[in-house]
Every structure is written in structure tokens, then in C-alpha cells.
Amino acid sequence: MTIQLGRLAALWWRDLGADPRTTSWSSFIGALREEFRAPPAPPSPVMHLEVDSKEEDPEEDLTEDPMDDKERTEAETEPTPAPEPVQPERVACVSYMLRKGAQHWWSTVKMTRDVTVMSWADFIGEFNQKYYNSAILRVQEDEFLNLKQATMTVIEAVNKFEQLSRLCPSMIRTEEDKLRRIMDMLRPDITLAIESGGSLPRTVAKCVERAIRIEYRMA
């Protein structure tokens, strides 16, 4: 086989040491391809595409969520309120001190409820429903506003005043309110004597002390 080669190919063929007279065409082509084949292409760069995890689903409900992320997080992490603790010892202690009509009322409650598992809040609710409802409160407020000494002694009138004032605390929030109400409650002649005795008392205790002395002198 006679092969016409260029200069570079002839040098390569000579270095190969092959005999052109005995080399077949297919062997020559194979050697040529092996020698001059192109180097393998470098690997294509891998493109890392960030996939949006919030990609819209075509079937997703597009209705606007009224809660933003912060509100949703707070709602999900908001702790569940703890149930009202059962305090049978506290309820038993207070109920033991009830007397007369209140003791009879408590006996009625025990027949309708299991008081051994009653919480303190439930006890207060039952007690207020019986003894401190709005109708009774209005009656006590009216009695307090219209309280007058009349035929009572100063000590009796003050004791009655203290009893009613504990049931109507919103009506005497300060010492000044209490002092003014006691002066209105006392008999007019005692009130006049207190006001004409020089400087007015600045505390309830001083006012009551002066009223008792005046009442004693008038007796």
C-alpha cells in the first residue's frame, strides 16, 4: 500500500516504525485516529438552580391569607391557658367558717355539687350568686347612701357605717370620701358642734372621737 503523507504525518509514521508495504488501510486509519483524535471535552459546568419552595401551585387556593407570618407564628406558639386549679382545702376552710343562713346555703350546695373538686373561682361564683348579686348590691348601696344616725348612738351608727361600707367599697375610695359620708350620717346637732369646734378633723378616727365626746356632753 502506497500512502502519500504530509511532512508531519510522515514523521509520525516513521516514528511509529510501521512498514507501509505490509500495513493495511484499516490499520493505518486506526493508528491515525488514535494518534490525532481530539481530547475529550471538559465536563459541562453544573448549574445549581435554586428552586423556590414557595412556587405557586396551579391548584393552590389564591385567596389572601388574613394573617401575616408574624401573627401566624404567634398564634401557633401561643400557650394554651392552664385550667383553673382545684383547691378543695381552701374551699373547705372557708366553708367551715360559714354560720347560720350561710351554713344552710352551703349544705344545699353540697347536695347539688361535688364540692371536693370545686375550684376557688367556682366557690366565689356560687357565693356571689347567692349573696352578692346585682339586686342585693343596689339595695345595700341605697341603704348606705341613706344611712342616718337617728336614734342610734355614735358608736352604733359608726359600726353600721363600717358594715355597709365594706359592701360598697366603690363609694368610699379615699379617707376624704369616708370622712364626708360620716359627717353626713351623724345627727345634725353633733355635726354642727364638730364644725364649730375649731379646725375640722382630718381623719375618720378624729371625727368619731370628737363626735363621741360631744354626744356624751349632750346627754
Side-chain angles (χ1 to χ4, degrees), residues 95-110 131:
S95 62
Y96 177 77
M97 300 176 67
L98 298 176
R99 295 293 181 269
K100 298 181 180 180
Q103 190 176 45
H104 177 72
W105 159 77
W106 183 242
S107 299
T108 305
V109 173
K110 289 193 292 185
Y131 292 103

Side-chain angles (χ1 to χ4, degrees), residues 76-145:
E76 292 174 353
T77 58
E78 184 176 355
T80 303
E84 176 72 22
V86 177
Q87 300 171 311
E89 297 84 1
R90 190 176 185 183
V91 174
C93 179
V94 174
S95 62
Y96 177 77
M97 300 176 67
L98 298 176
R99 295 293 181 269
K100 298 181 180 180
Q103 190 176 45
H104 177 72
W105 159 77
W106 183 242
S107 299
T108 305
V109 173
K110 289 193 292 185
M111 289 188 295
T112 59
R113 294 194 58 174
D114 185 1
V115 298
T116 61
V117 295
M118 177 180 287
S119 68
W120 179 249
D122 288 340
F123 174 81
I124 295 298
E126 291 281 352
F127 187 88
N128 287 344
Q129 184 177 0
K130 176 65 177 179
Y131 292 103
Y132 208 67
N133 58 48
S134 58
I136 294 178
L137 179 59
R138 285 194 296 270
V139 171
Q140 292 171 342
E141 289 176 344
D142 291 341
E143 184 179 1
F144 180 68
L145 290 173

Side-chain angles (χ1 to χ4, degrees), residues 66-79:
M67 299 176 61
D68 58 23
D69 292 340
K70 181 178 180 181
E71 291 175 341
R72 188 182 298 105
T73 301
E74 292 176 352
E76 292 174 353
T77 58
E78 184 176 355

